[in-house]
Every structure is written in C-alpha cells, then in structure tokens.
C-alpha cells in the first residue's frame, strides 16, 4: 500500500521524531501549519493502512512508525523500476545517471558503491 503525498510528508516528520504526540508533529511542520483535524485524519488513515501505531497515555496518543523509512523507500523505488523501467535496474541506472546531471565526483561515488556491493556478492 502507498501513502499519499500529504501522508508521506507526515510520515517523514514521524520518522524524524521517532515517537511523537500530535503537538510534536504539528510543531515539526513549517508554516503554514496544517489544521489539527487534518493531521488527525492523516494519522487515522495511516494507522488503518498499517504505517503508524500508537500508545495511549490517558487521553493522549503517542504515535510511532511501524515501517522503517529505508523499507518504504526501497519498496517505492523497486515499484518505480518495475513500472517505468521494465523491471530492469540497469535501465533505471542508465536513466538516473543521464538525467540527473550528476558531477564526476558523484558518479565516482556511485561507482564505488556499486563496486563495494559487487565484492559483497
């Protein structure tokens, strides 16, 4: 299941904070801050989708992520590769390196990462 753009934005705040009450999440937003009811609705949807959990402390809820950011991002990128690049990581890498205007230094860093992963396999 995917998150909407506004849910992803809220999830990024929650990943950053690790655990948060509603007031913490609202404080973490830049101006103009969303309405409390909007954030509450997003949290309810994200809880229903299985992305967010909470603990009750009296009448307050402390929210926490149920999925790691790296896991969500990995699934998102793999879906992108499958959908737009015929499930070909090399087609994705080719597009990424040509279309993102990477510097020579950044390309070398990518090469080093790839070489490191090759050695591990």
């Amino acid at each position: 299941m995917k998150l909407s753009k506004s849910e992803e934005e809220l999830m990024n705040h929650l990943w950053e904070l690790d655990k948060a009450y509603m007031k913490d999440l609202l404080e973490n937003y830049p101006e103009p801050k969303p309405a409390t009811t909007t954030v509450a609705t997003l949290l309810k949807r994200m809880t229903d989708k299985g992305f967010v959990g909470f603990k009750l402390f009296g009448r307050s809820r402390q929210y926490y992520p149920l999925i790691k950011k790296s896991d969500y991002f990995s699934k998102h990128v793999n879906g992108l590769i499958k959908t737009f690049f015929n499930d070909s990581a090399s087609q994705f890498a080719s597009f990424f390196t040509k279309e993102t205007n990477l510097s020579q230094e950044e390309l070398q860093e990518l090469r080093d990462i790839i070489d490191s992963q090759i050695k591990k396999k």
Side-chain angles (χ1 to χ4, degrees):
M1 204 173 279
K2 279 182 71 174
L3 296 171
S4 69
K5 292 280 186 207
S6 50
E7 290 169 342
E8 277 184 4
E9 182 180 8
L10 178 55
M11 197 70 195
N12 274 316
H13 294 301
L14 193 53
W15 280 319
E16 183 181 319
L17 295 169
D18 192 42
K19 294 178 184 173
Y21 293 95
M22 174 71 74
K23 68 176 183 63
D24 303 321
L25 290 166
L26 286 167
E27 286 173 4
N28 212 35
Y29 271 91
E31 293 293 340
K33 296 183 184 300
T36 304
T37 54
T38 301
V39 175
T41 299
L42 292 172
L43 286 167
K44 170 77 170 100
R45 288 194 327 219
M46 293 160 65
T47 300
D48 292 346
K49 289 180 178 182
F51 286 94
V52 174
F54 62 88
K55 291 181 185 174
L56 281 173
F57 292 95
R59 294 176 57 200
S60 298
R61 293 180 181 192
Q62 183 184 51
Y63 296 94
Y64 56 90
L66 293 174
I67 184 170
K68 291 188 282 184
K69 186 175 186 175
S70 59
D71 292 343
Y72 179 75
F73 185 68
S74 176
K75 191 171 186 173
H76 206 64
V77 169
N78 285 327
L80 186 76
I81 291 169
K82 185 173 188 166
T83 304
F84 294 103
F85 298 97
N86 301 318
D87 210 11
S88 169
S90 58
Q91 282 183 20
F92 170 73
S94 175
F95 175 84
F96 178 76
T97 55
K98 289 177 185 172
E99 300 299 325
T100 54
N101 298 320
L102 297 172
S103 68
Q104 187 171 358
E105 182 179 311
E106 290 169 321
L107 287 167
Q108 185 60 51
E109 286 176 24
L110 281 175
R111 175 184 252 165
D112 294 344
I113 291 167
I114 291 168
D115 288 343
S116 172
Q117 289 299 312
I118 289 170
K119 289 177 186 174
K120 288 181 182 178
K121 295 198 180 222

